Amino acid sequence: MVAKDYPFYLSVKRANCALEVQTVTSPAKETEEPSNKRVKPLSRVTSLAKKISQTLQRSISFRSDSRPDLLSPRPWSRNMPPKYNTKRRDSKLWSETFDVCVSHMLTSKEIKRQEAIFELSQGEEDLIEDLKLAKKAYHDPMLKLSIMTEQELNQIFGTLDSLIPLHEDLLRRLQEVRKPDGSTEHVGHILVGWLPCLNSYDSYCSNQVAAKALLDHKKQDHRVQDFLQRCLESPFSRKLDLWNFLDIPRSRLVKYPLLLREILRHTPNDHPDQQHLEEAINIIQGIVAEINIKTGESECQYYKERLIYLEEGQRDSLIDNSRVVCCHGELKNNRGVKLHVFLFEEVLVITRAITHNEQLCYQLYRQPIPVRELVLEDLQDGEVRLGGSIRGAFSNNERIKNFFRVSFKNGSQSQTHSLQANDSFNKQQWLNCIRQAKEKVTCAGKAGMLNSEAHFLLSPNGSKVLQGETTLEQMDQSDCESDCSMDTSEISIDCERMEQTNSCENEKQIETNV
């Protein structure tokens, strides 16, 4: 054993024996004084004894310090803000809420099914409570105190009031079919009849982008900020800010498919609910997908309306025809300038965030770059020049990480931008989104070329031209819509297979015609 590890070994071995500590520390003090008069080997022993005593004393002090008075003040807590009590919402289980004796008569699978149904019901109750709290604790006081105007509050809260009776109706239906012992036999028919009401979430979710932007802008007002901070420090908020409450309906909406699948997973195959639950899952998946599409279109339209063009030449039909924002966020160039970059379906737009007419807008920084002609390059850490100077020994390593480059050249027009993400994960997200957008555009372009080639080759036979075009369009749509979200290698392989298949079919049809 190494000498420096010896005191730690003794401290661990004798930490629980206070008497041994005293017997060991006292000889250490006796041998400490005459240590200079003895020969060298003994000086090493005395130094070890001294270290042993100090280590043991520290171990004792650590034991005593590990059990301090909880009410005693801490020197580092003097400048901390006063703590406030937080009202926490305890999770409830079906087996703990109702009579436990009932569980002895049920199988484990049926108990799990009852737990899943109870979670659905309890979630509705919590959602109703939060929606009412948002209106009572935030909307009404801010309106009464004139912290915000009624128009601003209507923009931020949207159709929140209309969602409360909607979920109260489902909660009432679930409680009506609950037996006195707390168990529920059938819920599928209730969900099939109620879920179509969730189409009203369309307007609420589509308004969230504008609501979030307005709320962030109003937080610059010290009265609004002070009111929201006081609410955050109140027990009723559970340390959730206003936007957390406003976003609860959307998170609840996307959770319904998971809840219904959990109920279905624990439902026997011969149970009457089996068919109804499968139908309910199909209904909610269709509703969520439709609302997701409309929300994406609403977000895209919101940002397109807030683009500011310095000149008419910057306007691009690719921006006007875009329906989805694939990715957007703040990036920095190699000079440290903050830019807000938008990746639409077929065009990349680099802007600067500015305030125009008390609204956050985005002024185009350069000419829009078509995704089809965009060149993407992943840069290794340390390859970028900062501020026009070559990276050297005096450069800050944190400033030269997470860069990627986008470039574009078309005749006399050319652009090159070295963009820096906040971290490696954010950088990878941008790279993936740009690559997927390029693959989707490339796949669509190849499909268009195949369509034109098929039409030209089969033109002598009119009946087969239409049939070939229809089949090809269906293949193009299915391949482009499904495979463009996959990896690059998979997409390229699928496109090559599609080309080979189409060419073979065309050759067979030509031979037949001949």
Side-chain angles (χ1 to χ4, degrees), residues 34 123 157 188 278 345 379 387 425 509:
F157 284 81
E278 292 177 352
E345 295 169 292
L379 301 178
F425 177 78
Q509 291 178 355

Side-chain angles (χ1 to χ4, degrees), residues 155-158 207-216 243 246 302:
Q155 177 69 41
I156 293 175
F157 284 81
N207 179 63
Q208 280 198 303
V209 178
K212 183 67 165 58
L214 178 58
L215 179 60
D216 292 340
W243 182 250
L246 296 177
Y302 173 84

Side-chain angles (χ1 to χ4, degrees), residues 6-16 52 55-56 59 63:
Y6 186 71
F8 176 75
Y9 171 77
L10 288 180
S11 65
V12 173
K13 184 177 180 181
R14 304 180 183 179
N16 296 326
I52 293 171
T55 305
L56 292 173
S59 65
R63 275 184 174 275

Side-chain angles (χ1 to χ4, degrees), residues 91-100 115 118 122 178 181:
S91 59
K92 298 179 182 180
L93 298 176
W94 173 80
S95 56
E96 297 176 353
T97 305
F98 297 97
D99 190 3
V100 184
E115 293 287 0
F118 182 75
Q122 188 62 36
R178 182 181 295 167
D181 59 4

Side-chain angles (χ1 to χ4, degrees), residues 23-156:
T23 58
V24 174
T25 54
S26 57
K29 293 182 180 179
E30 294 176 359
T31 57
E32 183 179 358
E33 295 180 358
S35 61
N36 295 331
K37 299 179 182 181
R38 295 174 186 258
V39 292
K40 286 186 177 181
L42 292 179
S43 63
R44 184 177 181 182
V45 175
T46 55
S47 62
L48 286 175
K50 183 177 179 180
K51 291 181 179 179
I52 293 171
S53 63
Q54 293 175 353
T55 305
L56 292 173
Q57 290 175 358
R58 284 197 298 268
S59 65
I60 296 174
S61 63
F62 290 157
R63 275 184 174 275
S64 61
D65 293 339
S66 63
R67 300 188 184 94
D69 185 6
L70 297 177
L71 299 179
S72 60
R74 298 288 185 275
W76 58 81
S77 62
R78 295 176 181 175
N79 298 327
M80 293 179 62
K83 294 184 178 180
Y84 48 90
N85 297 326
T86 303
K87 179 183 177 182
R88 296 188 179 274
R89 176 177 290 162
D90 298 330
S91 59
K92 298 179 182 180
L93 298 176
W94 173 80
S95 56
E96 297 176 353
T97 305
F98 297 97
D99 190 3
V100 184
C101 298
V102 179
S103 62
H104 296 293
M105 300 182 297
L106 301 176
T107 63
S108 60
K109 187 172 185 178
E110 181 61 27
I111 293 176
K112 292 179 180 179
R113 183 174 184 271
Q114 294 300 325
E115 293 287 0
I117 296 174
F118 182 75
E119 182 181 359
L120 173 65
S121 176
Q122 188 62 36
E124 293 299 306
E125 189 174 341
D126 294 340
L127 174 63
I128 295 169
E129 180 183 347
D130 288 336
L131 296 182
K132 290 182 177 180
L133 178 64
K135 185 177 186 307
K136 181 179 179 181
Y138 290 94
H139 179 278
D140 296 346
M142 284 193 289
L143 180 61
K144 185 176 181 180
L145 299 175
S146 299
I147 297 178
M148 289 191 194
T149 64
E150 184 176 3
Q151 182 180 2
E152 292 172 340
L153 291 173
N154 291 338
Q155 177 69 41
I156 293 175

Side-chain angles (χ1 to χ4, degrees), residues 99 110 112 117 124 160 175 201 207 213 219 235 283 300 326 328 369 395 398 400 417 458:
D99 190 3
E110 181 61 27
K112 292 179 180 179
I117 296 174
E124 293 299 306
L160 186 85
Q175 291 175 346
Y201 265 74
N207 179 63
K219 285 182 180 179
I283 292 174
C300 181
C326 303
H328 75 94
I369 301 177
S395 299
E398 293 299 326
I400 55 178
H417 303 277
L458 301 178

Side-chain angles (χ1 to χ4, degrees), residues 458-513:
L458 301 178
S459 57
N461 191 338
S463 60
K464 292 189 177 181
V465 167
L466 297 176
Q467 182 178 359
E469 289 180 347
T470 304
T471 306
L472 193 60
E473 289 175 359
Q474 293 175 353
M475 293 175 60
D476 294 339
Q477 291 177 359
S478 61
D479 289 340
C480 293
E481 291 177 358
S482 60
D483 295 336
C484 283
S485 61
M486 298 165 58
D487 294 337
T488 304
S489 59
E490 296 178 355
I491 297 174
S492 59
I493 293 174
D494 291 338
C495 290
E496 292 175 0
R497 289 176 179 174
M498 185 177 66
E499 291 177 357
Q500 295 175 0
T501 304
N502 290 333
S503 60
C504 293
E505 291 179 357
N506 294 338
E507 291 176 359
K508 291 180 180 179
Q509 291 178 355
I510 292 173
E511 292 175 358
T512 303
N513 295 335

